[in-house]
Amino acid sequence: MNRVLGSVVFTVLLSMLSTGSYAGGGEEMGPAKYYAEPLQTVTMMEAQTLVGKEGVYFFDVNTLELWAEGFIPGAVYFNVKNWKDLLPKNKDALMVFYCANRLCNASEIAARHVMKLGYTNVLQMPDGIYGWRLANRVTEKP
């Protein structure tokens, strides 16, 4: 009998807790954001050919902890408050943004913000630093 009573009480409490929780922070549901401007992506192989070239900028949009574990040679840590100060003066400069991996969208968000500022040659590398390391490509540490 105690077991049945315990199950009933647990079920009631669980149902009371779940009525106030919503996915997505409780905001109204709506369609996913649509971007009219497509984001250009670059493969790791293509990105590797760009490393160290004059006029090409790599921006790492990872956490500071992930940055400290290693980054693409010459990349600039971008996850800072004054990120606009890191951008090149030339709005046609080639810029490559990356974060952790294909599940991370921080580099996509950063690239889109930069595009809104008028930069025209912005690329995003979806495989990120994890893909870079798994492919045994060279990294630097701070």
Side-chain angles (χ1 to χ4, degrees):
M1 182 68 176
N2 284 341
R3 234 177 170 177
V4 172
L5 184 59
S7 294
V8 170
V9 169
F10 178 74
T11 303
V12 169
L13 287 173
L14 188 61
S15 67
M16 287 172 41
L17 289 173
S18 65
T19 59
S21 61
Y22 301 99
E27 295 180 13
E28 289 291 321
M29 289 188 62
K33 191 167 185 174
Y34 174 76
Y35 294 100
E37 180 112 12
L39 184 62
Q40 299 286 333
T41 59
V42 63
T43 66
M44 283 190 300
M45 189 176 294
E46 292 166 332
Q48 186 172 8
T49 66
L50 299 172
V51 171
K53 286 197 173 178
E54 177 115 11
V56 179
Y57 302 86
F58 279 81
F59 294 104
D60 188 310
V61 193
N62 286 301
T63 63
L64 196 54
E65 293 82 9
L66 196 52
W67 163 264
E69 292 174 11
F71 53 89
I72 294 175
V76 174
Y77 182 65
F78 196 75
N79 201 358
V80 294
K81 287 183 181 180
N82 64 335
W83 59 268
K84 289 181 183 176
D85 296 341
L86 303 173
L87 299 174
K89 302 276 184 248
N90 178 6
K91 293 210 175 194
D92 294 326
L94 180 58
M95 295 184 282
V96 179
F97 289 83
Y98 69 91
C99 51
N101 56 31
R102 289 184 177 269
L103 299 176
C104 176
N105 67 345
S107 61
E108 181 179 342
I109 292 168
R112 289 195 184 281
H113 279 297
V114 169
M115 290 168 62
K116 285 180 186 177
L117 295 175
Y119 288 87
T120 59
N121 210 357
V122 179
L123 302 173
Q124 188 247 354
M125 189 181 77
D127 291 313
I129 194 64
Y130 284 134
W132 190 269
R133 289 184 199 150
L134 284 171
N136 291 320
R137 287 180 164 79
V138 175
T139 60
E140 289 181 350
K141 289 190 178 189

